[in-house]
Amino acid sequence: MTTPPSGPTAQAAPDVDPVRAPANRWLVLAIVALAQLTVVLDGTIVNIALPQAQLELGMSDGDRSWVVTLYALTFGALLLLGGRIADFWGRKRSFLVGMGGFALASALGGIATSGETLLLARGLQGAFAALLAPAALAILSVTFPGGRDRVRAFAVYGTIAGGGAAVGLLLGGVLTEYFSWHWCLLVNVPIAVVAIAVGIPVLRESRAEGSTRYDVPGAVLVSLGLASVVYGFSRAEAGWVRLDTLGFLALGVVLLALFLLVEARSAHPLLPLRIITDSARAGAYLSSIAVGAALLGALLYLTLYFQIVLGMSPLVSGLASLPMTAAIIVCAGVVSRLLPKVGPRILMTVGPLIAAAGLLLLSRITVGGSYALEVLPAQLLLGIGLAFIFVPLQNVALLGIAPRDSGVASAAVTATQQIGGSIGTAVFTALYTVGAGAGTAEGAAGGLQSLVDGYSVVFLAAAVALALASPVSWFMIRVARNEFSTSSEPAHLG
């Protein structure tokens, strides 16, 4: 077989041609955006519904946390395999099957009458999302191979990646207040029907040519490794020095190290190491982990603050989360115009600092605080900073990827966000427990003050995680501005 060129400057391999007709590609973007919105908002839409679902199904606090963690865990653990399936089996076919399976899993969760059924449905949602998400992003990547149109397309995608979580909180609030928590899952069914109905005639198939042998040992190692790491972090809530916590973390590290060794020697690697060894792409992946951890972890506790401490209804809580999304949408257009002029390095260095400043403000919340004074300015800063990160991040992470590897490369960047989110949720839960316990031990007045102490620790930790992405971007992401010029084909990395 013909080996595709390696490295970030690799040119297009002889893939099946994607949709290239100007009349169709923006419709393709709309379909991909709808799929991405479904996947992202489902990571948070149940946050609003969790109190009602927990009460109705008789779930413990630990099970409640797993409703969030299990989706991110199965999603992230299976993404690399899902990306390779999309490359070999066909991106359109994988997209349609992933969307259909996601809808069926959502329907199962929507009619759940027990906590076990809900957890099973969330795990299945994550598994099918692991097939859907990389297929969707790969379709977008091969449909917009380069130039300003690619920047615009990825600006839309990045806006959804950053704002979709908050949209999930709003939609969850509306559905929970006026219908029931069940509809937070059932809403995915009509969305999937629309995406499939439009996608069948509009999307065109594309797949990798040549050998399509799967790297089964690599798939097993990376899935078990990622799952073990995330589970280990989730056990940290009960104690960082517990045998199960340290054991699963150590096992995960060993399995991931073995995975890298297997990939280096495999003739058909699940994740070709040339994808992650490029400095710029590696920097984008590291930044994505930090952003995923901070965003999903922080939003969960901001929602709890709104409902439990400030006494907001689910609908009002969702509306209160909207300013961050609005800031992302407004700034994404500005950032997409700046990207060809200043390049991604400056944007991805400044963005984490702005977002971290917003989280630092959130760490100063109080029991009787004002939303307008304590929360709103922080949300606006967080939204602006995220727009500076997400718009260039997607472009850098997939820059110069050969079409043959577009599915697995798309899966890699999505996996970093989801694994970051699941680890962030688990770690922040442990930190929240410590912070809330410290507040109680110090004799803080009232149970609400103890909760706020825990939330403040979470927001402070999230700010630190985001701030670390700034030096990573400055030192690792060195990409020439002309990569995002008007040329129709990808340029070379500088």
Side-chain angles (χ1 to χ4, degrees), residues 206-462:
S206 66
R207 62 175 64 88
E209 292 186 343
S211 175
T212 56
R213 290 180 58 185
Y214 287 98
D215 175 19
V216 176
V220 172
L221 285 171
V222 73
S223 298
L224 292 179
L226 291 172
S228 182
V229 167
V230 174
Y231 184 73
F233 276 116
S234 73
R235 297 303 300 161
E237 179 180 356
W240 288 95
V241 295
R242 288 170 54 98
L243 181 61
D244 55 349
T245 300
L246 297 177
F248 277 104
L249 288 175
L251 176 62
V253 171
V254 171
L255 290 173
L256 291 177
L258 289 175
F259 167 70
L260 293 178
L261 289 176
V262 169
E263 298 309 279
R265 300 184 178 187
S266 175
H268 311 278
L270 177 69
L271 178 65
L273 295 186
R274 62 180 177 271
I275 292 177
I276 61 174
T277 53
D278 169 68
S279 174
R281 277 200 293 270
Y285 293 152
L286 290 173
S287 297
S288 181
I289 291 174
V291 172
L295 180 59
L296 294 183
L299 281 181
L300 172 62
Y301 286 93
L302 184 60
T303 301
L304 296 176
Y305 173 70
F306 286 158
Q307 292 193 49
I308 298 175
V309 178
L310 298 186
M312 295 181 178
S313 67
L315 174 59
V316 175
S317 176
L319 290 172
S321 303
L322 202 55
M324 186 191 77
T325 301
I328 293 175
I329 293 173
V330 171
C331 291
V334 177
V335 175
S336 66
R337 290 191 293 271
L338 285 175
L339 185 55
K341 299 177 181 178
V342 303
R345 184 187 185 196
I346 294 177
L347 297 174
M348 293 184 66
T349 299
V350 174
L353 298 179
I354 298 175
L359 287 169
L360 283 176
L361 286 180
L362 281 180
S363 70
R364 299 176 64 84
I365 55 174
T366 59
V367 173
S370 165
Y371 169 83
L373 296 178
E374 293 186 358
V375 179
L376 181 58
Q379 284 186 310
L380 294 177
L381 284 174
L382 184 58
I384 293 170
L386 290 175
F388 273 65
I389 300 169
F390 276 114
V391 172
L393 189 150
Q394 305 290 344
N395 278 280
V396 173
L398 295 176
L399 187 65
I401 293 292
R404 173 181 175 81
D405 296 327
S406 61
V408 71
S410 301
V413 66
T414 308
T416 57
Q417 295 172 2
Q418 292 303 318
I419 292 299
S422 60
I423 292 175
T425 301
V427 172
F428 293 157
T429 298
L431 293 175
Y432 161 76
T433 302
V434 173
T440 302
E442 292 170 4
L448 291 181
Q449 182 60 53
S450 178
L451 295 178
V452 170
D453 289 341
Y455 301 154
S456 296
V457 171
V458 169
F459 297 140
L460 182 61

